[in-house]
Amino acid sequence: MIRAAGDSALIINLGNEIDEEINKRVLSIAKRIEEEKIEGVREVVPTYTSICVYYDPLIISYEKLKFLLKNYLREKPKEIRGKIVEIPVIYGGKYGPDIEFVANYNGLSVDDVIEIHTKPLYRVYMLGFLPGFAYLGGMDERIATPRLKTPRTRVLAGSVGIAGKQTGWYAIESPGGWRIIGRTPIRTFNPNKKTPSIVLPGDYVKFKAIEDVKEYEEND
Amino acid sequence: MIEIIEAAGLSIQDLGREGYQKYGVPVGGVMDRYSAIITNYLVGNDRNAPLLEFFMGELKLKFLKDSIFAVGANSEVRLNGEKIEAWKSHMGREGDTLEISMPKNGVYGYISFQGGIKCKKIFGSCSTYPQAGWGRYLRGGDKVEIQYSSKKMPERRELPEELIPKYEKEQIIRVILGPQREHFTEEGIRTFLSNKYIVTEESNRMGYRLEGAKIEHSEKGADIISDAIPLGSIQVPESGKPIIMLADHQTTGGYAKIGVVISADIPKVAQTPIGGKLKFKEVSVEEAQRIWKRKWNTLQNIKRYLNGEIRALRVKINDESLLAFVEEI
């Protein structure tokens, strides 16, 4: 289903739930559209269940673009194989000031929280919201914890947190209300790199508990 | 080089970052593209040249080197205390001071310098985006460097009166409904299109929060699975009060969008002050694209006129004066 989102963007909707298969289709079709390099198309932004195509209406009209895009929806797209990215995390202490809260809230020990958090292979569904922020799927609901009532004015880049049933990390420093359980010493977002984000939609993330920051400090 | 003496809401901007929203990087850039582009054209710059954007005015700058500049705002402008015209290029000499008052209408204004402002580009743009640490608002004592310029005055220096953007405190804003129209009842859509909404204090470069009649959601509710947010999207959270997403808006979000402001009307929204009123009017995509094409053509004609490639004729019909661009055959 294709719909206008203003006069210079349209949204192709491929489903109504957060689902790995739907998201795989989203990413494949988004890649296909991007590779086609249609004249007038400025940006292709895949999200959980939809693809937003930004275009220049002086070059291509809504109707014409819609017509072209419909063809790609009929094709069987090639699946994108994501990579597994290991994210080292120092849990607790000054790096994860809310880990005790998360443990107490769920009737667990801090070690349980770490074990439960490091166990799954999380799927990166999309990047958005703020630069380099990855929307992950697959967190165990046993560590789900509501956001802070009053968000912090400053959360450091690399902070790993939980908000409701979601987990993720702050790729850049920003204000935020997530419960911070740890911090990764690696730089996950770098504007100077050709691919600025360490993870891309379709990738999988594995958190790994580490004790020492030093071993990671050098290899940015 | 320009020294900032007094500043508020002053930042370096261009037309933003295109092509990186898939990494979560907001487009950003100037709030009012139309005024910013004209201000750049006035000094012979490309439309995307980095320039200064100010909010509400009351600023003072000092030229540390000669530079041709223009002010794009309906403000009182003084060079060394002498009143000079806005929407016109001038020569600032080393040691000169430039003072700009609050705009009489509109809230964002622009100062362009021939050659554009020098900066370190991030994702191809100089636009200030403090949320990610990409630049910051300028303060007294800061200095900005200007790229090399020819010091040659443009062919024509002044924007014809008829083309100076004027911004009312009450605006009719044209929108394309959707993309989540089904998240609203028919009554909700009617409420949205038939009431005036007031710009509140909780408004900034990311978006304007509006106050007014509560918009009713359908049984689908206010939340959606997060998707992309195009510029001008009107999100309606649970409160039923709309939020218009502007230049620095986040790339994705989870509130249902009742409509998107047409490209040609984004500057009108951006220039509405706190307390100003917006009334929304539905148009089709085709109509919005036609309107944009006309606006773009006007911008191109302004550029060619300032470059001396075409002439402008003033046609007076009764009390109304119209402008016609004419080309030599």
Side-chain angles (χ1 to χ4, degrees), chain A residues 153-174:
Chain A
T153 51
R154 185 165 171 249
V155 179
L156 292 176
S159 296
V160 176
I162 290 173
K165 295 176 198 168
Q166 261 186 299
T167 185
W169 65 87
Y170 288 81
I172 59 167
E173 183 183 307
S174 72

Side-chain angles (χ1 to χ4, degrees), chain B residues 17-141:
Chain B
R17 311 186 155 83
E18 193 178 283
Y20 304 98
Q21 291 188 81
K22 63 177 174 183
Y23 300 121
V25 176
V27 176
V30 295
M31 286 288 274
D32 175 354
R33 286 183 168 229
Y34 193 72
S35 292
I37 290 174
I38 291 175
T39 313
N40 262 330
Y41 285 164
L42 277 165
V43 295
N45 284 350
D46 287 342
R47 64 174 190 273
N48 195 25
L51 75 178
L52 293 178
E53 177 182 272
F54 60 87
F55 177 69
M56 299 296 267
E58 298 300 328
L59 42 128
K60 197 171 176 182
L61 313 178
K62 188 176 173 185
F63 289 88
L64 301 183
K65 266 188 187 159
D66 295 359
S67 176
I68 292 162
F69 71 96
V71 176
N74 298 315
S75 293
E76 211 175 272
V77 185
R78 287 175 187 276
L79 191 63
N80 296 328
E82 294 280 324
K83 218 169 143 181
I84 60 166
E85 279 166 275
W87 305 105
K88 183 177 178 177
S89 60
H90 302 272
M91 171 63 95
R93 297 281 180 195
E94 187 182 327
D96 284 356
T97 54
L98 176 69
E99 287 166 282
I100 300 170
S101 74
M102 297 257 281
K104 283 189 264 305
N105 60 73
V107 291
Y108 283 98
Y110 297 90
I111 314 167
S112 63
F113 302 94
Q114 195 178 72
I117 293 171
K118 230 184 218 175
C119 84
K120 190 174 152 272
K121 287 187 177 176
I122 295 171
F123 291 115
S125 163
C126 290
S127 291
T128 301
Y129 180 64
Q131 290 92 324
W134 302 341
R136 58 162 172 80
Y137 284 95
L138 298 172
R139 303 188 279 253

Side-chain angles (χ1 to χ4, degrees), chain A residues 3 7 34 43 55 129 131-132, chain B residues 19 22-23 179 182 252 263 289:
Chain A
R3 284 171 163 190
D7 57 25
E34 214 169 33
E43 293 195 53
Y55 64 97
F129 178 52
Chain B
K22 63 177 174 183
Y23 300 121
E182 73 282 3
T252 58
S263 298
Q289 294 185 340

Side-chain angles (χ1 to χ4, degrees), chain B residues 193-204:
Chain B
L193 292 174
S194 58
N195 286 279
K196 286 178 185 167
Y197 286 87
I198 300 168
V199 176
T200 70
E201 277 178 27
E202 278 176 272
S203 298
N204 54 37

